[in-house]
Every structure is written in C-alpha cells, then in structure tokens.
Amino acid sequence: MEEERVKISKKWLQQLSKGNGSPIDGLTSDSLKVVQAQKGLIRCRLVVSERQADGDGNWHVGAMATLVDNIAGATVHSFAGQIRPTLNFNMSYYSSAKIHEEVEIEAKIVAEKGKLAAVMVEIKKTDNGDLIASAKQWTASNNNAGRESKLWTALNFTNNKKNPKPKL
C-alpha cells in the first residue's frame, strides 16, 4: 500500500506537467520531472520557461508558490495516502531563477501530529545550489479532500471490483 501511494503521487505530478489538470497547474508544472519519490519525500527538477516568468525574465513568485503547493500535496499523499487541505502556507523568497535555468525542488515531511502534517520545501538552483526559496506547509487530514479534482480522483483509485482502475 505504501508503495502505491508513492506511485500515485509521482504519476499525479507527471500528469500535471503534461497539462492534465487545471490550466494554472499545467502552466506552473510545465517541464517538471520527478527525480526521486519515496514515502514522505519528493525531489523534482524544473527548467523555468518563458510562460512561467514575469516581465523581467524571473521565475514568477506566484508560479513558484503554486508549484510548491502541488509538490507539497503530493508529498503528503505519498506519506499519508490522501491529499490534505492546506491550513498554513509560509514561503520565503531569497533569490530567483531566470528563464532556461534549472532548479531542484525538494519536499519532505518534517512533522506529523494527529491529523496534521508539516512539509518543508526548498528550491535551489541546480548548477550552484543557491537557495531560491523555502516553504513550510501544514495540512490537515480530511476524507473529502481531492474529491473535486477529476485528475486526482482518477489517480487515487482503489482495488474495489465495483470501481476498477480508471484509464488516463
């Protein structure tokens, strides 16, 4: 079961990077590659595109925050088996990446207390390791989370014979 959670989380992020999901998720996840996925840890790489940049050619902070939220959600799912609503999201920006620069995003579960889970996310430039941003996100368990997302629901299947695995 644990391995299945990781596979679903990884596939969800891969599908977002292909444009499956909301338009904003597709835009912010464009070129995203999952390079490591395990229970409670997801590491990705992304090359900043012109579509993700602001007028000065920097990676847009809103695009960055949206991507962080999605990767954190997938990380929580890999750990807890469900996507959870965000209760608190705090992000600090230290520098930026330019168009065509590659970044590495690492999200990991750092705490769990009852129905709460905390995810730390760091974004660094791949070429020199400079810190671009860090974020901390607290989530709460909620059995209704993700039900509105057709993509997430399709990926979060069960082995129930009445509801076989959907085809994507």
Side-chain angles (χ1 to χ4, degrees):
M1 182 66 170
E2 179 181 309
E3 189 176 304
E4 191 67 21
R5 294 173 180 174
V6 173
K7 286 180 185 177
I8 290 169
S9 296
K10 183 178 177 181
K11 187 166 186 172
W12 182 64
L13 289 172
Q14 290 169 334
Q15 290 298 315
L16 289 180
S17 74
K18 294 177 183 175
N20 296 322
S22 76
I24 192 72
D25 290 334
L27 172 69
T28 59
S29 301
D30 188 33
S31 87
L32 184 73
K33 303 282 187 246
V34 178
V35 295
Q36 182 182 4
Q38 61 191 55
K39 181 181 179 184
L41 173 76
I42 294 181
R43 185 174 292 120
C44 303
R45 291 207 172 155
L46 175 121
V47 176
V48 179
S49 72
E50 291 179 16
R51 296 176 28 172
Q52 297 162 330
D54 62 18
D56 295 324
N58 296 310
W59 189 12
H60 193 284
V61 295
M64 202 183 310
T66 301
L67 181 62
V68 165
D69 189 42
N70 283 332
I71 294 172
T75 304
V76 169
H77 183 274
S78 76
F79 179 80
Q82 61 182 194
I83 193 166
R84 296 175 171 182
T86 301
L87 296 176
N88 185 297
F89 183 81
N90 182 354
M91 192 156 174
S92 297
Y93 300 93
Y94 304 102
S95 66
S96 189
K98 295 282 189 186
I99 297 169
H100 304 299
E101 278 191 286
E102 185 179 61
V103 298
E104 183 171 280
I105 305 119
E106 180 181 279
K108 60 184 170 184
I109 300 292
V110 293
E112 181 185 34
K113 185 164 182 137
K115 294 183 176 187
L116 300 174
V119 184
M120 288 291 298
V121 182
E122 285 191 341
I123 302 173
K124 296 180 179 181
K125 291 183 180 184
T126 303
D127 64 350
N128 61 15
D130 283 353
L131 184 63
I132 295 171
S134 64
K136 186 170 187 181
Q137 183 177 37
W138 279 97
T139 63
S141 64
N142 176 351
N143 292 334
N144 294 320
R147 288 197 178 164
E148 297 303 315
S149 167
K150 292 177 185 175
L151 175 64
W152 188 264
T153 302
L155 291 173
N156 197 11
F157 51 80
T158 63
N159 289 328
N160 185 333
K161 292 181 181 182
K162 291 181 182 177
N163 296 313
K165 292 181 183 181
K167 304 230 187 260
L168 292 176

